[in-house]
Amino acid sequence: MTAEGPTNNGTTRQTDEELLASLGYKQEFKRAFTPLEVFGIAFSIIGLLPSIASVLFYAIPNGGGPAMVWGWLVASIFVLLIGLAMADLASAAPTSGGLYFWTYSLSSPRWRLLLCWLVGYANTIGSIASVASIDWGYCRISFLFCGVYAAIVGTHAIVCCLGTTVLARLQTVYVILNVLLCLAIIIALPAATPAEFRNTASFALGEFKNVNGWPDGYAFILSFLAPLWTIASFDSCVHISEEAANAAIAVPWAIVSAIGIAGILGWAINMALAFCMGTDLDALINSDQPMAQILFNAFGQKGTLAVWAIIVLVQYMMGSSMLLAASRQTFAFSRDSALPFSGWLYHMNGFTGTPVNTVLFDAALSIALGLLVFAGEQAINAVFALSIVGLYFAYCIPIAARFIGKNDLKPGPFSLGVFSFPVGVIAVTFMTFMSVVFLFPSTPQPSVADMNYAVVVFGGVMILSLMWYYFPRYGGVHWFVGPVKTIDIPVEVVDSERSSSRDDDSKK
């Protein structure tokens, strides 16, 4: 599959429509996202500074400065490899269904329906959990909770119901604010920090402080959770493939460039924090918000409030972009009749030209996940972990399926060539390992209240999806056929292909 570079809007649109038609889908969205705006949705979801502020408590207790600096560097390199493997697939088949569509296309006929089902549910729930975790992180950094959380998700839903052109233009604003905020901290924080809070290179980069009780090596690995949660959900670019101009090129490059730029800027931010946070790490760990305390020590009250207002605004934008991407995944999965209420969910609003129903559906589920806070702090932390574990499960399967068994994948204009296999192996191995790490508690001897309940949440989601698949008479095993073609072809052809697909799956 290939896509030509744009010569004018008509040529680009025709090429994209033909490529989408070759995948079995008709063009339903307006292709209003430019390459910069496709990059913008991933970069705005990453939202470097507010994300680091939300998860700094993972890094400081598990190594201090060395974990923040070197842990970020190591983890971001692995994340880049994951992004490269995903970009390779995104270029070959740029569709909103993305991960589960690739899984079906690349997997063995015997297993492709079940794997497609599981990946679709993991990606859908993982994306919704990302919305919940980002917006709960917003409440954490703005010191607002519960009712405000629901209101924030509600306003995101309103924004995401707007027309595609408006949503696309907003991404440019998000990118500019994110970059300016990052540069401001990288430059201004070291300049404004008083001498008593400035650290030496040996302390910032070499003095490992581990307070949670795990061995130092494992504590260092636990510090990866901060960069992994921050540089995440880059599959968002894939889910707007059908709204992007020249998607086969724009989407993969957006994934890789968003991860690469975020890795570099994030490393610089962590370097600045490590040198400007002082030596009393216990005070930071015990503070309400470690990042806010570091900024307060440098900028004072008024300066911190000014910077923090922008951080809160950027985090708000993160939630808006994430709900946008999640709604497109839900739309694609309901288009293939895999979700409950698919008939209602697969609907394009005639006025806005966007899937309003899926936006409202995802927003409602995000609010429901936020109610876990009433079960305790660790319960809501499980949502943070679910947003990674669920998505990593969905990432691993299609990347692995590409190299297990036979398939006829035709590389797109972005291709790793001979490096596809080693990059894929490293990416899948790393995601599998870190998914297990995400399920461990923060301390080796936790109390019941301090347990990590991510395994319960993720396991529950996957068990329920399996039960729904194998449910007698009404379960997906009786009717789910994978991606359903929506291009204008005779009904008898669709029925014949579905019957053939089902027969092949039952024989192999």
Side-chain angles (χ1 to χ4, degrees):
M1 302 175 189
T2 60
E4 300 172 1
T7 57
N8 56 58
N9 290 338
T11 303
T12 301
R13 182 165 56 251
Q14 183 64 35
T15 303
D16 285 322
E17 288 176 358
E18 289 177 350
L19 178 52
L20 186 61
S22 73
L23 301 176
Y25 296 116
K26 64 182 178 181
Q27 184 68 49
E28 297 182 79
F29 289 93
K30 180 180 180 180
R31 290 190 179 268
F33 279 77
T34 66
L36 174 62
E37 291 159 350
V38 178
F39 160 81
I41 192 168
F43 193 71
S44 65
I45 289 173
I46 290 171
L48 276 172
L49 200 63
S51 292
I52 293 172
S54 295
V55 295
L56 198 55
F57 61 88
Y58 279 131
I60 295 179
N62 289 303
M68 294 164 60
V69 175
W70 306 123
W72 181 281
L73 180 63
V74 173
S76 61
I77 291 173
F78 280 107
V79 175
L80 181 60
L81 294 176
I82 298 170
L84 286 168
M86 184 179 295
D88 214 0
L89 296 175
S91 184
T95 173
S96 296
L99 301 162
Y100 77 84
F101 181 93
W102 305 335
T103 299
Y104 179 87
S105 302
L106 300 174
S107 297
S108 162
R110 181 177 182 181
W111 298 106
R112 64 185 179 185
L113 287 177
L114 176 59
L115 290 176
C116 173
W117 177 277
L118 291 176
V119 168
Y121 269 93
N123 196 193
T124 301
I125 299 300
S127 297
I128 294 171
S130 294
V131 176
S133 62
I134 288 171
D135 284 345
W136 192 255
Y138 173 90
C139 291
R140 275 179 171 171
I141 67 172
S142 58
F143 306 101
L144 302 170
F145 299 100
C146 299
V148 174
Y149 167 79
I152 293 301
V153 177
T155 59
H156 287 329
I158 294 173
V159 171
C160 291
C161 288
L162 299 175
T164 302
T165 301
V166 176
L167 294 171
R169 300 300 93 85
L170 283 174
Q171 304 311 313
T172 301
V173 178
Y174 295 173
V175 169
I176 293 172
L177 279 176
N178 264 289
V179 172
L180 290 178
L181 182 60
C182 292
L183 293 178
I185 293 301
I186 294 169
I187 296 170
L189 183 62
T193 300
E196 63 266 28
F197 292 108
R198 293 179 187 171
N199 295 327
T200 62
S202 61
F203 180 87
L205 305 179
E207 191 164 324
F208 197 88
K209 185 175 178 64
N210 174 13
V211 302
N212 280 339
W214 290 107
D216 286 353
Y218 188 71
F220 182 70
I221 293 173
L222 282 176
S223 73
F224 290 2
L225 302 186
L228 293 185
W229 187 83
T230 300
I231 313 178
S233 298
F234 37 83
D235 60 307
S236 55
C237 297
V238 176
H239 301 313
I240 62 164
S241 293
E242 295 174 32
E243 299 167 79
N246 205 16
I249 295 175
V251 171
W253 277 110
I255 294 172
V256 174
S257 57
I259 295 172
I261 294 173
I264 294 170
L265 287 178
W267 185 75
I269 290 171
N270 277 280
M271 182 78 76
L273 293 173
F275 274 91
C276 301
M277 63 184 180
T279 57
D280 189 358
L281 300 190
D282 291 329
L284 293 178
I285 294 170
N286 295 324
S287 65
D288 292 333
Q289 224 305 326
M291 175 77 83
Q293 187 62 50
I294 294 172
L295 297 182
F296 178 80
N297 294 340
F299 300 128
Q301 184 179 36
K302 291 183 179 179
T304 300
L305 288 175
V307 173
W308 207 253
I310 303 175
I311 290 176
V312 170
L313 176 61
V314 170
Q315 178 109 7
Y316 179 86
M317 295 173 175
M318 289 172 59
S320 172
S321 294
M322 189 64 240
L323 181 58
L324 170 62
S327 69
R328 277 27 178 191
Q329 160 62 23
T330 303
F331 176 83
F333 208 33
S334 64
R335 177 173 60 187
D336 295 320
S337 304
L339 291 172
F341 316 112
S342 285
W344 178 74
L345 290 171
Y346 177 42
H347 174 74
M348 191 71 72
N349 184 276
F351 179 72
T352 65
T354 56
V356 170
N357 292 357
T358 60
V359 171
L360 299 177
F361 179 77
D362 285 1
L365 288 183
S366 299
I367 292 173
L369 279 176
L371 296 178
L372 285 173
V373 71
F374 293 108
E377 184 69 15
Q378 290 304 317
I380 197 65
N381 285 342
V383 176
F384 277 72
L386 176 62
S387 66
I388 299 298
V389 176
L391 292 180
Y392 275 9
F393 176 87
Y395 294 176
C396 279
I397 301 301
I399 294 174
R402 176 180 181 178
F403 304 105
I404 299 175
K406 297 180 180 180
N407 56 68
D408 60 350
L409 177 70
K410 297 178 178 63
F414 181 102
S415 175
L416 299 179
V418 295
F419 296 103
S420 296
F421 180 72
V423 168
V425 169
I426 295 172
V428 170
T429 302
F430 179 74
M431 286 189 286
T432 303
F433 175 72
M434 290 308 303
S435 293
V436 175
V437 173
F438 263 102
L439 303 179
F440 273 72
S442 58
T443 60
Q445 296 179 330
S447 63
V448 174
D450 293 330
M451 280 294 295
N452 186 338
Y453 293 98
V455 66
V456 178
V457 177
F458 177 67
V461 168
M462 301 313 294
I463 290 172
L464 287 174
S465 64
L466 280 171
M467 291 174 61
W468 173 225
Y469 186 75
Y470 286 110
F471 197 82
R473 189 176 177 180
Y474 299 105
V477 69
H478 301 289
W479 47 262
F480 181 63
V481 295
V484 178
K485 291 185 176 181
T486 61
I487 53 177
D488 295 328
I489 55 177
V491 174
E492 59 269 19
V493 174
V494 177
D495 291 339
S496 175
E497 289 184 355
R498 289 183 177 184
S499 176
S500 176
S501 175
R502 178 63 66 186
D503 291 342
D504 288 344
D505 292 335
S506 62
K507 292 176 182 178
K508 296 184 180 181

